[in-house]
Amino acid sequence: MSKRVGIEVSIAIAEAVGLARAEVIPAYPITPQTHIVEHLSEMVANGELDAEFIPVESEHAAMSCCCGSSAAGARTFTSSSAQGLSLMSEILYIPSTMRLPMVMVVANRAMSAPISIWNDHQDIMVQRDIGWIQTFAENGQEAVDLTLHAFRVAEDRNVSLPFIVNIDGFTLSHVIEPIELPDQEDVDKFLPPFKPRYKLDPRRPITMGPVGIPEVYTEAKVAHDMAMRKAKRYILKAWDEFAEIFGRKYNPVESYRTEDAEILLVTMGSISETAMTAVDAMRDDGQKVGLLRIRLWRPFPSQEFRKAIGKAKVLAVVDRCLPPGAVCGPVGAEIRSLLYKIPGAPKIFSFVAGLGGRDVTVARFKEIVDKARQFAKKRPRELYEVIGVREK
Amino acid sequence: MIPEFEKFKGFKAKNLPKEELLSSGHRACQGCGEVLALRMVMKALGKDVIVCNATGCMEIITSPYPHTAWNVPWIHIAFENAAAVASGVESARRVLARKGKIPKKHVDILAVGGDGATGDIGLQWISGAFERGHDFLYVCLDNEAYMNTGVQRSGCTPYGAMTTTSPPGKKSFGQVTWKKNVPAIAVAHNIPYVATASPAYFLDLMNKVKKAALVKGPAYVHIYSPCPTGWGSAGERSVEIARLAVETKVFPLYEVIEGRYIISRKITKPKPVEEYLKTQRRFRHLDEEHIDYIQRRVDAEYEKLLRLAEMD
Ligand SMILES: Cc1ncc(C[n+]2csc(CCOP(=O)(O)OP(=O)(O)O)c2C)c(N)n1
Ligand code: SF4
Ligand SMILES: [Mg+2]
């Protein structure tokens, strides 16, 4: 029987990785990811998990080890944040085009400078285009479930891609929540052993990671892009099967009180819980406000998102990332380009909030909705607005 | 002594493995010392091996898709991280064998990179892998510069040598620093086996590579590799130049087994360094003063090595 326990989300994620029977775990510590890898190394040390925990000398080495491990045919997991994720950056592009499955939980954190250990999404947005499948968790249960789902999808021979599960640093990673930890038997049913089509094996020698001359490079990248697009089908299928076994159903885009809504907030990650509270409060005031939460970020669920908008007239997109000098935040830009010149598309306003651990409160969400409503009447001068900046 | 060495009888000219695991038809320049050395490395290791190759000449010339020169499993990820990739492969095989998912039979894990990949940009990854004690061997093919990108200087470029980023000019005579001692850095990690080798002494090279593979834990072999293209030397003289480097004490051959230095080939009647320098255009601009300095420093470095060997 699965058990429901009060547990720190990081520990629960580590338990999920254990239930997934991960085999190689190269990791380097960085706040707020530390509790995940500490607990994993404990599980290995206690013999609860039969795996190799590689205490590498840097995140770049962690990702490099992951490539070797996956290529050799082992189920591979790592975890990182911010500066660590960026140190991996050179390598992150490689397992994805090489189609090496692995799972990484990123405990999202702000990028230096100034150095900050607190939460926003700048670290992962820098890595937006690395060609990994990416999901965002809203709460602890989802973090656990998405981690199991990630292994299943990444290793599916029809997919064969690395997978990042994003969880908000501290606001998710370090809180204690009631979480249902699945049964080993059920996890085994959901997640068959990793059997890659190709691996490094002297009995069947292959060359992995060759030079891509101009005559083949484009095709290699297009093949990767096609694999990403095709992956959506298997992501959805795995969520269906997950629901059958575990009773919890996940969708690429989650709608909250969107029926008859005129204004929709658009969020990713754990601030969505506060956003729901704000929506409830605004609904109580008679405002026709709803919420769209993007769970699947890559491949972007274009159809599902378009459908989820319904008849809304205004979208207020909240980014947790401020790219200086850009047109707007990355999620805002994505949605603007998705809906550009679509007949009847809503007006889209882009907001940036919650940088470096700044709380995004119910009041802030109300402010965002109010602003979006005003902007819909009178076009704002700027293409985005940063919310909650102190005047002094 | 290392127990794994006891059964190894050594390669002889008569019993050299015939199989070519790195096949011909690759894109290396004529007279390339690196690919010559790499071929010997592969012969010594045999086919039960997984190769993790750093970016550089050897990676480029052997793997232009859809062609490959490799008859063994081979992976290239990036420039600086071959040792970490090898760590991942080794760990994966360890756990998979323990779980009965792959045969228990031993497979050698080879990480291979140039002097740049090894002594400069990749030093940290190698240090990490050595310190953690993975069972693998790292082979550095040292052609004394970043050749793949067009002959830029590296930490292993010798004093006085001309490269595209250490050009001699009105205010410079070429590389101003002495060659970095990468084998000594490997030794400092207390790994069981470190050696230097040269393709001019191919049996010695192959025996060292085999020992590096046999030993449990990390091992390091640093192989001097003439590069006609980067050095401005005649392709047909690569082996001769490699031999001269040993005979002039410029590149001494030795092993360090569990910390003990053993000179493989003692040079009692050294040839003058100038004879070596003359074979390569990269040293052509050097005047007598610089050549004298190089001679004195080569002698002193060799003395140091002898003292290390005597201490044991
Ligand atoms: C991170 C990174 N920096 C720089 C390069 C460019 N680069 C590729 S190979 C190379 C030089 C390789 O030199 P070495 O390791 O000595 O090998 P060789 O080509 O001489 O055999 C350089 C600088 C790269 N690929 N990656
Ligand atoms: S440049 Fe030098 S090392 Fe590179 S292939 Fe040519 S000869 Fe060999
Ligand atoms: Mg080189």
PDB file of all heavy atoms in Angstrom, chain A residues 60 90, chain B residues 34 54-60 76 78-80 113-119 121 141-150 152 154 227, ligand 1:
ATOM      1  N   HIS A  60      29.656  20.409 -13.914  1.00  0.00           N
ATOM      2  CA  HIS A  60      30.029  20.068 -15.290  1.00  0.00           C
ATOM      3  C   HIS A  60      30.399  18.586 -15.354  1.00  0.00           C
ATOM      4  O   HIS A  60      29.987  17.856 -16.262  1.00  0.00           O
ATOM      5  CB  HIS A  60      31.200  20.947 -15.738  1.00  0.00           C
ATOM      6  CG  HIS A  60      31.485  20.888 -17.211  1.00  0.00           C
ATOM      7  ND1 HIS A  60      31.988  19.761 -17.823  1.00  0.00           N
ATOM      8  CD2 HIS A  60      31.346  21.803 -18.193  1.00  0.00           C
ATOM      9  CE1 HIS A  60      32.148  19.999 -19.119  1.00  0.00           C
ATOM     10  NE2 HIS A  60      31.752  21.227 -19.374  1.00  0.00           N
ATOM     11  N   GLU A  90      27.303  23.866 -21.003  1.00  0.00           N
ATOM     12  CA  GLU A  90      27.961  23.406 -22.232  1.00  0.00           C
ATOM     13  C   GLU A  90      27.536  21.977 -22.572  1.00  0.00           C
ATOM     14  O   GLU A  90      27.332  21.640 -23.739  1.00  0.00           O
ATOM     15  CB  GLU A  90      29.488  23.447 -22.054  1.00  0.00           C
ATOM     16  CG  GLU A  90      30.223  23.049 -23.318  1.00  0.00           C
ATOM     17  CD  GLU A  90      31.532  22.342 -23.071  1.00  0.00           C
ATOM     18  OE1 GLU A  90      31.868  22.051 -21.901  1.00  0.00           O
ATOM     19  OE2 GLU A  90      32.242  22.061 -24.050  1.00  0.00           O
TER      20      GLU A  90
ATOM     21  N   GLU B  34      50.287  11.188 -33.302  1.00  0.00           N
ATOM     22  CA  GLU B  34      49.188  10.888 -32.376  1.00  0.00           C
ATOM     23  C   GLU B  34      48.437   9.647 -32.813  1.00  0.00           C
ATOM     24  O   GLU B  34      48.169   8.758 -32.016  1.00  0.00           O
ATOM     25  CB  GLU B  34      48.198  12.066 -32.304  1.00  0.00           C
ATOM     26  CG  GLU B  34      48.662  13.172 -31.420  1.00  0.00           C
ATOM     27  CD  GLU B  34      47.522  14.018 -30.834  1.00  0.00           C
ATOM     28  OE1 GLU B  34      46.365  13.892 -31.275  1.00  0.00           O
ATOM     29  OE2 GLU B  34      47.822  14.805 -29.926  1.00  0.00           O
ATOM     30  N   ALA B  54      38.190  12.814 -25.887  1.00  0.00           N
ATOM     31  CA  ALA B  54      38.022  14.265 -25.772  1.00  0.00           C
ATOM     32  C   ALA B  54      38.012  14.884 -27.168  1.00  0.00           C
ATOM     33  O   ALA B  54      38.573  14.323 -28.111  1.00  0.00           O
ATOM     34  CB  ALA B  54      39.162  14.853 -24.957  1.00  0.00           C
ATOM     35  N   THR B  55      37.410  16.060 -27.294  1.00  0.00           N
ATOM     36  CA  THR B  55      37.494  16.790 -28.554  1.00  0.00           C
ATOM     37  C   THR B  55      38.963  17.079 -28.866  1.00  0.00           C
ATOM     38  O   THR B  55      39.753  17.345 -27.978  1.00  0.00           O
ATOM     39  CB  THR B  55      36.729  18.129 -28.451  1.00  0.00           C
ATOM     40  OG1 THR B  55      35.449  17.881 -27.894  1.00  0.00           O
ATOM     41  CG2 THR B  55      36.579  18.787 -29.810  1.00  0.00           C
ATOM     42  N   GLY B  56      39.312  17.042 -30.132  1.00  0.00           N
ATOM     43  CA  GLY B  56      40.700  17.276 -30.539  1.00  0.00           C
ATOM     44  C   GLY B  56      40.968  16.537 -31.831  1.00  0.00           C
ATOM     45  O   GLY B  56      40.054  15.915 -32.404  1.00  0.00           O
ATOM     46  N   CYS B  57      42.203  16.587 -32.282  1.00  0.00           N
ATOM     47  CA  CYS B  57      42.532  15.966 -33.562  1.00  0.00           C
ATOM     48  C   CYS B  57      42.030  14.528 -33.692  1.00  0.00           C
ATOM     49  O   CYS B  57      41.406  14.174 -34.691  1.00  0.00           O
ATOM     50  CB  CYS B  57      44.051  15.967 -33.760  1.00  0.00           C
ATOM     51  SG  CYS B  57      44.633  17.465 -34.572  1.00  0.00           S
ATOM     52  N   MET B  58      42.292  13.697 -32.679  1.00  0.00           N
ATOM     53  CA  MET B  58      41.961  12.278 -32.823  1.00  0.00           C
ATOM     54  C   MET B  58      40.463  12.037 -32.928  1.00  0.00           C
ATOM     55  O   MET B  58      40.010  11.147 -33.650  1.00  0.00           O
ATOM     56  CB  MET B  58      42.551  11.472 -31.656  1.00  0.00           C
ATOM     57  CG  MET B  58      44.059  11.393 -31.678  1.00  0.00           C
ATOM     58  SD  MET B  58      44.724  10.784 -33.259  1.00  0.00           S
ATOM     59  CE  MET B  58      45.209  12.292 -34.068  1.00  0.00           C
ATOM     60  N   GLU B  59      39.700  12.843 -32.220  1.00  0.00           N
ATOM     61  CA  GLU B  59      38.236  12.719 -32.269  1.00  0.00           C
ATOM     62  C   GLU B  59      37.740  13.129 -33.655  1.00  0.00           C
ATOM     63  O   GLU B  59      36.915  12.447 -34.277  1.00  0.00           O
ATOM     64  CB  GLU B  59      37.645  13.594 -31.157  1.00  0.00           C
ATOM     65  CG  GLU B  59      36.161  13.853 -31.251  1.00  0.00           C
ATOM     66  CD  GLU B  59      35.846  15.188 -31.915  1.00  0.00           C
ATOM     67  OE1 GLU B  59      36.644  16.138 -31.790  1.00  0.00           O
ATOM     68  OE2 GLU B  59      34.817  15.276 -32.577  1.00  0.00           O
ATOM     69  N   ILE B  60      38.289  14.241 -34.155  1.00  0.00           N
ATOM     70  CA  ILE B  60      37.834  14.781 -35.434  1.00  0.00           C
ATOM     71  C   ILE B  60      38.188  13.852 -36.596  1.00  0.00           C
ATOM     72  O   ILE B  60      37.355  13.563 -37.453  1.00  0.00           O
ATOM     73  CB  ILE B  60      38.477  16.173 -35.673  1.00  0.00           C
ATOM     74  CG1 ILE B  60      37.999  17.176 -34.612  1.00  0.00           C
ATOM     75  CG2 ILE B  60      38.212  16.677 -37.082  1.00  0.00           C
ATOM     76  CD1 ILE B  60      36.607  17.678 -34.789  1.00  0.00           C
ATOM     77  N   HIS B  76      32.171  10.369 -27.746  1.00  0.00           N
ATOM     78  CA  HIS B  76      32.742  11.704 -27.603  1.00  0.00           C
ATOM     79  C   HIS B  76      31.642  12.613 -27.086  1.00  0.00           C
ATOM     80  O   HIS B  76      30.556  12.658 -27.661  1.00  0.00           O
ATOM     81  CB  HIS B  76      33.256  12.203 -28.964  1.00  0.00           C
ATOM     82  CG  HIS B  76      33.402  13.693 -29.023  1.00  0.00           C
ATOM     83  ND1 HIS B  76      32.556  14.505 -29.742  1.00  0.00           N
ATOM     84  CD2 HIS B  76      34.279  14.524 -28.394  1.00  0.00           C
ATOM     85  CE1 HIS B  76      32.912  15.769 -29.578  1.00  0.00           C
ATOM     86  NE2 HIS B  76      33.944  15.814 -28.765  1.00  0.00           N
ATOM     87  N   ALA B  78      32.614  16.012 -25.096  1.00  0.00           N
ATOM     88  CA  ALA B  78      33.136  17.377 -25.235  1.00  0.00           C
ATOM     89  C   ALA B  78      34.656  17.371 -25.040  1.00  0.00           C
ATOM     90  O   ALA B  78      35.297  16.316 -25.049  1.00  0.00           O
ATOM     91  CB  ALA B  78      32.449  18.328 -24.272  1.00  0.00           C
ATOM     92  N   PHE B  79      35.216  18.559 -24.862  1.00  0.00           N
ATOM     93  CA  PHE B  79      36.667  18.754 -24.894  1.00  0.00           C
ATOM     94  C   PHE B  79      37.349  18.382 -23.567  1.00  0.00           C
ATOM     95  O   PHE B  79      38.321  17.631 -23.523  1.00  0.00           O
ATOM     96  CB  PHE B  79      36.917  20.233 -25.237  1.00  0.00           C
ATOM     97  CG  PHE B  79      38.338  20.648 -25.437  1.00  0.00           C
ATOM     98  CD1 PHE B  79      39.351  19.746 -25.730  1.00  0.00           C
ATOM     99  CD2 PHE B  79      38.679  21.997 -25.347  1.00  0.00           C
ATOM    100  CE1 PHE B  79      40.664  20.168 -25.926  1.00  0.00           C
ATOM    101  CE2 PHE B  79      39.993  22.421 -25.542  1.00  0.00           C
ATOM    102  CZ  PHE B  79      40.977  21.505 -25.820  1.00  0.00           C
ATOM    103  N   GLU B  80      36.804  18.923 -22.484  1.00  0.00           N
ATOM    104  CA  GLU B  80      37.515  18.874 -21.204  1.00  0.00           C
ATOM    105  C   GLU B  80      37.111  17.721 -20.307  1.00  0.00           C
ATOM    106  O   GLU B  80      37.683  17.552 -19.240  1.00  0.00           O
ATOM    107  CB  GLU B  80      37.285  20.191 -20.462  1.00  0.00           C
ATOM    108  CG  GLU B  80      35.832  20.472 -20.085  1.00  0.00           C
ATOM    109  CD  GLU B  80      34.967  20.857 -21.274  1.00  0.00           C
ATOM    110  OE1 GLU B  80      35.217  21.900 -21.860  1.00  0.00           O
ATOM    111  OE2 GLU B  80      34.063  20.104 -21.621  1.00  0.00           O
ATOM    112  N   GLY B 113      42.782  11.986 -24.522  1.00  0.00           N
ATOM    113  CA  GLY B 113      42.702  13.386 -24.934  1.00  0.00           C
ATOM    114  C   GLY B 113      44.074  13.919 -25.282  1.00  0.00           C
ATOM    115  O   GLY B 113      45.098  13.310 -24.955  1.00  0.00           O
ATOM    116  N   GLY B 114      44.096  15.060 -25.929  1.00  0.00           N
ATOM    117  CA  GLY B 114      45.361  15.708 -26.265  1.00  0.00           C
ATOM    118  C   GLY B 114      45.961  16.405 -25.048  1.00  0.00           C
ATOM    119  O   GLY B 114      45.417  16.350 -23.945  1.00  0.00           O
ATOM    120  N   ASP B 115      47.088  17.069 -25.254  1.00  0.00           N
ATOM    121  CA  ASP B 115      47.739  17.770 -24.141  1.00  0.00           C
ATOM    122  C   ASP B 115      46.874  18.923 -23.642  1.00  0.00           C
ATOM    123  O   ASP B 115      46.841  19.212 -22.444  1.00  0.00           O
ATOM    124  CB  ASP B 115      49.116  18.289 -24.543  1.00  0.00           C
ATOM    125  CG  ASP B 115      49.084  19.047 -25.858  1.00  0.00           C
ATOM    126  OD1 ASP B 115      48.782  18.424 -26.894  1.00  0.00           O
ATOM    127  OD2 ASP B 115      49.354  20.269 -25.857  1.00  0.00           O
ATOM    128  N   GLY B 116      46.142  19.562 -24.556  1.00  0.00           N
ATOM    129  CA  GLY B 116      45.252  20.649 -24.139  1.00  0.00           C
ATOM    130  C   GLY B 116      44.102  20.115 -23.313  1.00  0.00           C
ATOM    131  O   GLY B 116      43.804  20.614 -22.223  1.00  0.00           O
ATOM    132  N   ALA B 117      43.463  19.059 -23.818  1.00  0.00           N
ATOM    133  CA  ALA B 117      42.339  18.433 -23.124  1.00  0.00           C
ATOM    134  C   ALA B 117      42.760  17.907 -21.760  1.00  0.00           C
ATOM    135  O   ALA B 117      41.964  17.850 -20.830  1.00  0.00           O
ATOM    136  CB  ALA B 117      41.788  17.290 -23.966  1.00  0.00           C
ATOM    137  N   THR B 118      44.033  17.533 -21.637  1.00  0.00           N
ATOM    138  CA  THR B 118      44.500  16.875 -20.430  1.00  0.00           C
ATOM    139  C   THR B 118      45.126  17.858 -19.441  1.00  0.00           C
ATOM    140  O   THR B 118      44.680  17.984 -18.305  1.00  0.00           O
ATOM    141  CB  THR B 118      45.551  15.801 -20.798  1.00  0.00           C
ATOM    142  OG1 THR B 118      44.992  14.951 -21.793  1.00  0.00           O
ATOM    143  CG2 THR B 118      45.970  15.000 -19.582  1.00  0.00           C
ATOM    144  N   GLY B 119      46.148  18.555 -19.908  1.00  0.00           N
ATOM    145  CA  GLY B 119      46.956  19.355 -18.986  1.00  0.00           C
ATOM    146  C   GLY B 119      46.415  20.743 -18.722  1.00  0.00           C
ATOM    147  O   GLY B 119      46.773  21.372 -17.720  1.00  0.00           O
ATOM    148  N   ILE B 121      42.654  22.476 -20.020  1.00  0.00           N
ATOM    149  CA  ILE B 121      41.218  22.655 -19.756  1.00  0.00           C
ATOM    150  C   ILE B 121      40.600  21.491 -18.992  1.00  0.00           C
ATOM    151  O   ILE B 121      39.640  21.675 -18.260  1.00  0.00           O
ATOM    152  CB  ILE B 121      40.458  22.942 -21.087  1.00  0.00           C
ATOM    153  CG1 ILE B 121      39.082  23.548 -20.816  1.00  0.00           C
ATOM    154  CG2 ILE B 121      40.367  21.716 -21.952  1.00  0.00           C
ATOM    155  CD1 ILE B 121      38.387  24.105 -22.045  1.00  0.00           C
ATOM    156  N   LEU B 141      47.682  12.160 -25.344  1.00  0.00           N
ATOM    157  CA  LEU B 141      48.494  12.178 -26.555  1.00  0.00           C
ATOM    158  C   LEU B 141      49.032  13.598 -26.697  1.00  0.00           C
ATOM    159  O   LEU B 141      48.301  14.518 -27.075  1.00  0.00           O
ATOM    160  CB  LEU B 141      47.640  11.771 -27.763  1.00  0.00           C
ATOM    161  CG  LEU B 141      47.058  10.352 -27.668  1.00  0.00           C
ATOM    162  CD1 LEU B 141      46.040  10.111 -28.767  1.00  0.00           C
ATOM    163  CD2 LEU B 141      48.158   9.300 -27.729  1.00  0.00           C
ATOM    164  N   ASP B 142      50.297  13.741 -26.362  1.00  0.00           N
ATOM    165  CA  ASP B 142      50.884  15.074 -26.210  1.00  0.00           C
ATOM    166  C   ASP B 142      51.631  15.493 -27.474  1.00  0.00           C
ATOM    167  O   ASP B 142      52.753  15.057 -27.716  1.00  0.00           O
ATOM    168  CB  ASP B 142      51.834  15.052 -25.000  1.00  0.00           C
ATOM    169  CG  ASP B 142      52.481  16.409 -24.755  1.00  0.00           C
ATOM    170  OD1 ASP B 142      52.115  17.382 -25.445  1.00  0.00           O
ATOM    171  OD2 ASP B 142      53.351  16.475 -23.861  1.00  0.00           O
ATOM    172  N   ASN B 143      50.980  16.337 -28.271  1.00  0.00           N
ATOM    173  CA  ASN B 143      51.676  16.907 -29.426  1.00  0.00           C
ATOM    174  C   ASN B 143      52.046  18.365 -29.161  1.00  0.00           C
ATOM    175  O   ASN B 143      52.337  19.130 -30.074  1.00  0.00           O
ATOM    176  CB  ASN B 143      50.854  16.750 -30.712  1.00  0.00           C
ATOM    177  CG  ASN B 143      49.474  17.371 -30.557  1.00  0.00           C
ATOM    178  OD1 ASN B 143      49.225  18.117 -29.612  1.00  0.00           O
ATOM    179  ND2 ASN B 143      48.591  17.082 -31.483  1.00  0.00           N
ATOM    180  N   GLU B 144      52.005  18.732 -27.918  1.00  0.00           N
ATOM    181  CA  GLU B 144      52.576  19.985 -27.420  1.00  0.00           C
ATOM    182  C   GLU B 144      51.932  21.255 -27.962  1.00  0.00           C
ATOM    183  O   GLU B 144      52.578  22.290 -28.055  1.00  0.00           O
ATOM    184  CB  GLU B 144      54.100  19.984 -27.652  1.00  0.00           C
ATOM    185  CG  GLU B 144      54.755  18.724 -27.065  1.00  0.00           C
ATOM    186  CD  GLU B 144      56.264  18.815 -26.944  1.00  0.00           C
ATOM    187  OE1 GLU B 144      56.905  19.254 -27.915  1.00  0.00           O
ATOM    188  OE2 GLU B 144      56.781  18.463 -25.874  1.00  0.00           O
ATOM    189  N   ALA B 145      50.664  21.179 -28.299  1.00  0.00           N
ATOM    190  CA  ALA B 145      49.896  22.386 -28.655  1.00  0.00           C
ATOM    191  C   ALA B 145      48.457  21.992 -28.954  1.00  0.00           C
ATOM    192  O   ALA B 145      48.141  20.801 -29.050  1.00  0.00           O
ATOM    193  CB  ALA B 145      50.500  23.101 -29.860  1.00  0.00           C
ATOM    194  N   TYR B 146      47.606  22.999 -29.111  1.00  0.00           N
ATOM    195  CA  TYR B 146      46.225  22.773 -29.562  1.00  0.00           C
ATOM    196  C   TYR B 146      46.269  22.679 -31.073  1.00  0.00           C
ATOM    197  O   TYR B 146      46.162  23.674 -31.777  1.00  0.00           O
ATOM    198  CB  TYR B 146      45.324  23.948 -29.178  1.00  0.00           C
ATOM    199  CG  TYR B 146      45.232  24.277 -27.710  1.00  0.00           C
ATOM    200  CD1 TYR B 146      45.084  25.597 -27.285  1.00  0.00           C
ATOM    201  CD2 TYR B 146      45.264  23.284 -26.738  1.00  0.00           C
ATOM    202  CE1 TYR B 146      44.967  25.910 -25.939  1.00  0.00           C
ATOM    203  CE2 TYR B 146      45.155  23.590 -25.395  1.00  0.00           C
ATOM    204  CZ  TYR B 146      45.009  24.907 -25.003  1.00  0.00           C
ATOM    205  OH  TYR B 146      44.879  25.221 -23.681  1.00  0.00           O
ATOM    206  N   MET B 147      46.386  21.452 -31.570  1.00  0.00           N
ATOM    207  CA  MET B 147      46.565  21.297 -33.010  1.00  0.00           C
ATOM    208  C   MET B 147      45.246  21.412 -33.763  1.00  0.00           C
ATOM    209  O   MET B 147      45.172  22.023 -34.823  1.00  0.00           O
ATOM    210  CB  MET B 147      47.225  19.953 -33.309  1.00  0.00           C
ATOM    211  CG  MET B 147      48.640  19.859 -32.787  1.00  0.00           C
ATOM    212  SD  MET B 147      49.622  21.310 -33.257  1.00  0.00           S
ATOM    213  CE  MET B 147      51.142  20.937 -32.398  1.00  0.00           C
ATOM    214  N   ASN B 148      44.217  20.830 -33.192  1.00  0.00           N
ATOM    215  CA  ASN B 148      42.939  20.782 -33.889  1.00  0.00           C
ATOM    216  C   ASN B 148      42.423  22.172 -34.251  1.00  0.00           C
ATOM    217  O   ASN B 148      41.752  22.357 -35.258  1.00  0.00           O
ATOM    218  CB  ASN B 148      41.931  20.060 -32.998  1.00  0.00           C
ATOM    219  CG  ASN B 148      40.598  19.901 -33.656  1.00  0.00           C
ATOM    220  OD1 ASN B 148      40.520  19.485 -34.810  1.00  0.00           O
ATOM    221  ND2 ASN B 148      39.551  20.256 -32.956  1.00  0.00           N
ATOM    222  N   THR B 149      42.750  23.155 -33.418  1.00  0.00           N
ATOM    223  CA  THR B 149      42.251  24.506 -33.674  1.00  0.00           C
ATOM    224  C   THR B 149      43.284  25.366 -34.397  1.00  0.00           C
ATOM    225  O   THR B 149      43.090  26.571 -34.551  1.00  0.00           O
ATOM    226  CB  THR B 149      41.828  25.178 -32.357  1.00  0.00           C
ATOM    227  OG1 THR B 149      42.724  24.758 -31.318  1.00  0.00           O
ATOM    228  CG2 THR B 149      40.422  24.802 -31.975  1.00  0.00           C
ATOM    229  N   GLY B 150      44.409  24.765 -34.776  1.00  0.00           N
ATOM    230  CA  GLY B 150      45.367  25.515 -35.577  1.00  0.00           C
ATOM    231  C   GLY B 150      46.646  25.903 -34.854  1.00  0.00           C
ATOM    232  O   GLY B 150      47.162  27.009 -35.019  1.00  0.00           O
ATOM    233  N   GLN B 152      47.698  26.395 -31.513  1.00  0.00           N
ATOM    234  CA  GLN B 152      47.885  27.393 -30.456  1.00  0.00           C
ATOM    235  C   GLN B 152      48.685  26.782 -29.305  1.00  0.00           C
ATOM    236  O   GLN B 152      48.667  25.576 -29.116  1.00  0.00           O
ATOM    237  CB  GLN B 152      46.527  27.895 -29.938  1.00  0.00           C
ATOM    238  CG  GLN B 152      45.710  28.671 -30.957  1.00  0.00           C
ATOM    239  CD  GLN B 152      44.874  27.778 -31.855  1.00  0.00           C
ATOM    240  OE1 GLN B 152      44.673  26.607 -31.566  1.00  0.00           O
ATOM    241  NE2 GLN B 152      44.408  28.321 -32.969  1.00  0.00           N
ATOM    242  N   SER B 154      49.856  25.478 -25.682  1.00  0.00           N
ATOM    243  CA  SER B 154      49.200  24.917 -24.501  1.00  0.00           C
ATOM    244  C   SER B 154      50.216  24.966 -23.365  1.00  0.00           C
ATOM    245  O   SER B 154      51.357  25.388 -23.560  1.00  0.00           O
ATOM    246  CB  SER B 154      48.777  23.460 -24.757  1.00  0.00           C
ATOM    247  OG  SER B 154      49.898  22.585 -24.634  1.00  0.00           O
ATOM    248  N   CYS B 227      53.860  15.892 -34.292  1.00  0.00           N
ATOM    249  CA  CYS B 227      52.813  16.419 -35.170  1.00  0.00           C
ATOM    250  C   CYS B 227      53.485  17.209 -36.285  1.00  0.00           C
ATOM    251  O   CYS B 227      53.834  18.377 -36.101  1.00  0.00           O
ATOM    252  CB  CYS B 227      51.894  17.315 -34.358  1.00  0.00           C
ATOM    253  SG  CYS B 227      50.799  18.322 -35.359  1.00  0.00           S
TER     254      CYS B 227
HETATM  255  C1  LIG C   1      35.183  24.263 -24.123  1.00  0.00           C
HETATM  256  C2  LIG C   1      35.899  24.284 -25.413  1.00  0.00           C
HETATM  257  N1  LIG C   1      36.843  25.223 -25.618  1.00  0.00           N
HETATM  258  C3  LIG C   1      37.520  25.228 -26.788  1.00  0.00           C
HETATM  259  C4  LIG C   1      37.274  24.307 -27.750  1.00  0.00           C
HETATM  260  C5  LIG C   1      38.026  24.363 -29.041  1.00  0.00           C
HETATM  261  N2  LIG C   1      38.963  23.268 -29.178  1.00  0.00           N
HETATM  262  C6  LIG C   1      38.634  22.091 -29.736  1.00  0.00           C
HETATM  263  S1  LIG C   1      39.887  21.016 -29.850  1.00  0.00           S
HETATM  264  C7  LIG C   1      40.955  22.155 -29.204  1.00  0.00           C
HETATM  265  C8  LIG C   1      42.391  21.890 -29.080  1.00  0.00           C
HETATM  266  C9  LIG C   1      42.731  20.494 -28.802  1.00  0.00           C
HETATM  267  O1  LIG C   1      44.053  20.440 -28.376  1.00  0.00           O
HETATM  268  P1  LIG C   1      44.613  19.134 -27.721  1.00  0.00           P
HETATM  269  O2  LIG C   1      43.773  18.721 -26.586  1.00  0.00           O
HETATM  270  O3  LIG C   1      46.047  19.340 -27.423  1.00  0.00           O
HETATM  271  O4  LIG C   1      44.401  18.039 -28.852  1.00  0.00           O
HETATM  272  P2  LIG C   1      45.067  17.973 -30.314  1.00  0.00           P
HETATM  273  O5  LIG C   1      44.078  18.539 -31.264  1.00  0.00           O
HETATM  274  O6  LIG C   1      46.335  18.745 -30.264  1.00  0.00           O
HETATM  275  O7  LIG C   1      45.281  16.528 -30.525  1.00  0.00           O
HETATM  276  C10 LIG C   1      40.291  23.324 -28.865  1.00  0.00           C
HETATM  277  C11 LIG C   1      40.942  24.508 -28.271  1.00  0.00           C
HETATM  278  C12 LIG C   1      36.255  23.361 -27.490  1.00  0.00           C
HETATM  279  N3  LIG C   1      35.916  22.416 -28.379  1.00  0.00           N
HETATM  280  N4  LIG C   1      35.606  23.357 -26.320  1.00  0.00           N
END
